[in-house]
Amino acid sequence: MTHPQSKDKTREIAAVDLGSNSFHMVVARVVGEGLQIVSRHKQRVRLAAGLDSHHCLSDEAIDRGVECLAMFAERLNGIDVDNVRIAATHTLRQSRNIETFIQRANQVFPYPIEVISGEEEARLIYMGVSHTQQNIGRKLVIDIGGGSTELVIGDNFDPLLVNSKRMGCVSYNERFFPKGAISSKQFAAAQLATRQKLESLASQYRQAGWQVALGASGTVKAIREVIIGLGNDDGIITRKRLDSLIETLLTFKTSESINLPGLSADRQPVFAAGVAILSGIFDALAIESLRFSDGALREGLLYEMEDRFQRTDIRGRTTDDMAARYNIDLSHARRVQQTAAHFYAQAEPDKGSKKSELAGLLNWAALLHEVGLSIGYPGYHKHSAYILHHTNLPGFNQEQQTVLATLARFHRKALKLNEMPKFTLFKPKLIETLICALRLACVLHSQRNDQPLPDIALNVDKKGTWQLDFPARWLQDNRLLAADLEAEKQYWQSVNWALTCND
């Protein structure tokens, strides 16, 4: 469902952040070479509070989230689906019944919801901060959310160290401050747990160094507001000011009794946990001072959505870097890319944003389908799938990354479609079409030589039969390849797919 805009209307784009504690939406107008924020919306949803010990969201939490998205949909009415990007973060990453949430959301919210990895969330946060700050060189960016904390060191627009840790103000509140109780012992335990979480990366971050440390999003913003309320007008968070705040905070025995200037009622229940996490980060990374940044995940989504602000195609750079790292045979991969794209264009002639996105994923999967050869030839398609599924791939959301892994997994050998993962952004039939195109390309280039293929016409009929038409006698002159195609037909028949080859 889309809402086309008239050509003379100023283009609006929107980004929505489905966080563990709150859902945020920002709408901006594209003005010349910049973005002009026209509205911001925030709703406390407390999604993480509805996640049980089995990582399933309660019906009540799902209801709260869907109700919020229905409200957001009212503001987004009239904005084309291609101009809206929604990112789901920690709690929805962890949820085992996310499909239920997305199905319910789709009934009131006609925009695709992307689940992004922690590292991708960190990268986007960094981009949002970088685009909304003056060029200040190397910086440390910290974002303490409801379920996770992202930490990035980067130079200007280039993130160098990217990490996401499973510690957030909501999860730590439940773990260390149950029923709102506050004590110095609980506070110390939360600080220690934070330092332990960061133990593996603290030395690397301290050695990398930074010129300025910046904090983004609600937790740091709330701490800044309280520090200002306590008489520090510049709002800079220092070790001394943080210690003073902790000392004051410990005079309250429960979260309900906290009475601090600048602290909002909705932030009050998780404030102590957020302060404990930030204090632990200060200790682990030896931070001297931290400034607040208005830019965060939502701004990162906005600036990446608007093509003119993209410094590079991050996904192209990611896949090229990975191809180099795993010593991919680029000449072979490029031939497979070209043939797979040719078949996909004929199999799916209709154009559209979804077609373009899938064509791009097919292209990157064709480039990387042999990364598993770095482990060994037997079963390398499974190795490739594992690598693509578990590697941090900047620029790809979780479902896009799953598509890459799925295409690598099924590009050869038996079609065990019962092992196909479930998708929320793409229908299974669309993924199967990509698999068919990539498999045929791999078969046709199985001899790995640079001899060009003849003109091969593809026709997919209404029943879904794929028919390849080769030049006269070509298959007779290429018997080994003809035998490979016969074997491929058998694989297709095992799952009730149909492939015919004529010459």
Side-chain angles (χ1 to χ4, degrees), residues 169-180:
C169 59
V170 174
S171 56
Y172 266 45
N173 184 59
E174 295 175 352
R175 178 181 173 188
F176 296 105
F177 305 95
K179 298 181 180 179

Side-chain angles (χ1 to χ4, degrees), residues 27 52 55 151 193 207 222 279 286-287 390 398 402 431 455 470 484:
V27 181
D52 65 19
H55 295 284
L151 305 101
Q207 289 178 8
S279 176
I287 298 172
H390 293 282
Q398 282 193 336
T402 301
I431 304 301
D455 291 333
F470 294 87
D484 289 340

Side-chain angles (χ1 to χ4, degrees), residues 1-3 14-18 69 72-73 76 79-89 92 98 101-103 105-116 301 305 353-355 357 397-400 423-427 430:
M1 177 178 176
T2 59
H3 309 284
V16 182
D17 165 13
L18 308 185
L69 290 177
F72 283 1
L76 296 174
I79 301 180
D80 190 273
V81 67
D82 293 334
N83 291 333
V84 179
R85 191 172 177 195
I86 301 96
T89 59
L92 288 172
I98 185 175
F101 175 85
I102 290 179
Q103 287 171 0
N106 287 341
Q107 296 173 11
V108 299
F109 192 72
Y111 301 94
I113 295 173
E114 303 177 41
V115 182
I116 60 175
L301 290 168
M305 199 185 329
S353 59
K354 191 72 70 175
K355 166 77 181 293
E357 180 180 0
N397 63 45
Q398 282 193 336
E399 183 139 330
Q400 291 167 339
F423 297 93
T424 57
L425 295 178
F426 310 110
K427 294 179 179 179
L430 296 175

Side-chain angles (χ1 to χ4, degrees), residues 165-469:
K165 292 295 182 179
R166 292 177 63 176
M167 54 185 190
C169 59
V170 174
S171 56
Y172 266 45
N173 184 59
E174 295 175 352
R175 178 181 173 188
F176 296 105
F177 305 95
K179 298 181 180 179
I182 299 174
S183 70
S184 57
K185 183 178 180 180
Q186 292 165 307
F187 209 93
Q191 290 173 303
L192 177 60
T194 301
R195 294 199 298 272
Q196 289 175 323
K197 284 276 190 182
L198 301 180
E199 191 173 13
S200 62
L201 60 80
S203 176
Q204 184 184 20
Y205 272 58
R206 289 195 302 265
Q207 289 178 8
W210 56 85
Q211 292 169 266
V212 62
L214 298 164
S217 298
T219 297
V220 174
K221 183 178 181 180
I223 295 171
R224 173 181 178 268
E225 293 300 321
V226 171
I227 282 178
I228 292 173
L230 293 172
N232 305 288
D233 293 339
D234 58 14
I236 298 173
I237 303 171
T238 65
R239 177 77 267 178
K240 182 177 179 181
R241 291 174 180 179
L242 199 54
D243 287 342
S244 177
L245 172 58
I246 293 170
E247 186 177 342
T248 303
L249 193 58
L250 290 175
T251 64
F252 304 100
K253 300 306 178 185
T254 66
S255 59
E256 292 180 355
S257 64
I258 297 175
N259 183 17
L260 291 170
L263 181 62
S264 63
D266 60 356
R267 180 59 61 170
Q268 187 176 340
V270 296
F271 186 70
V275 172
I277 293 172
L278 186 61
S279 176
I281 295 173
F282 261 65
D283 289 341
L285 303 187
I287 298 172
E288 296 179 0
S289 65
L290 183 78
R291 298 176 180 270
F292 176 68
S293 168
D294 283 322
L297 174 59
R298 296 169 294 284
E299 287 72 22
L301 290 168
L302 285 177
Y303 277 95
E304 280 220 328
M305 199 185 329
E306 179 50 35
D307 290 341
R308 77 187 70 190
F309 302 118
Q310 293 186 22
R311 298 170 63 82
T312 62
D313 183 340
I314 182 65
R315 291 185 293 184
R317 187 171 65 181
T318 294
T319 49
D320 285 347
D321 288 347
M322 194 170 188
R325 189 192 324 162
Y326 285 92
N327 297 311
I328 293 294
D329 181 347
L330 287 179
S331 59
H332 174 69
R334 300 299 184 199
R335 289 192 291 270
V336 172
Q337 276 183 320
Q338 184 176 6
T339 302
H342 171 68
F343 287 151
Y344 182 61
Q346 293 181 72
E348 293 284 356
D350 295 334
K351 297 182 178 180
S353 59
K354 191 72 70 175
K355 166 77 181 293
S356 176
E357 180 180 0
L358 287 169
L361 293 173
L362 174 61
N363 186 63
W364 290 310
L367 175 66
L368 299 175
H369 72 281
E370 290 189 335
V371 293
L373 285 173
S374 61
I375 297 175
Y377 181 79
Y380 80 83
H381 52 298
K382 296 180 181 179
H383 302 325
S384 294
Y386 183 88
I387 292 170
L388 291 172
H389 185 73
H390 293 282
T391 301
N392 173 34
L393 299 180
F396 293 89
N397 63 45
Q398 282 193 336
E399 183 139 330
Q400 291 167 339
Q401 194 162 339
T402 301
V403 171
L404 297 183
T406 300
L407 294 182
R409 167 68 178 81
F410 291 106
H411 85 269
R412 66 191 290 267
K413 297 294 185 179
L415 282 161
K416 298 179 180 179
L417 298 183
N418 61 307
E419 298 178 3
M420 278 258 290
K422 293 182 179 179
F423 297 93
T424 57
L425 295 178
F426 310 110
K427 294 179 179 179
K429 186 64 178 176
L430 296 175
I431 304 301
E432 290 176 5
T433 302
L434 297 179
I435 292 172
C436 291
L438 181 58
R439 287 182 71 95
L440 290 179
C442 290
V443 170
L444 290 170
H445 292 287
S446 58
Q447 297 182 31
R448 308 184 77 91
N449 57 46
D450 57 4
Q451 294 297 316
L453 292 175
D455 291 333
I456 304 171
L458 168 66
N459 178 62
V460 181
D461 65 23
K462 293 181 179 179
K463 294 182 180 180
T465 299
W466 285 50
Q467 177 178 307
L468 293 178
D469 291 320

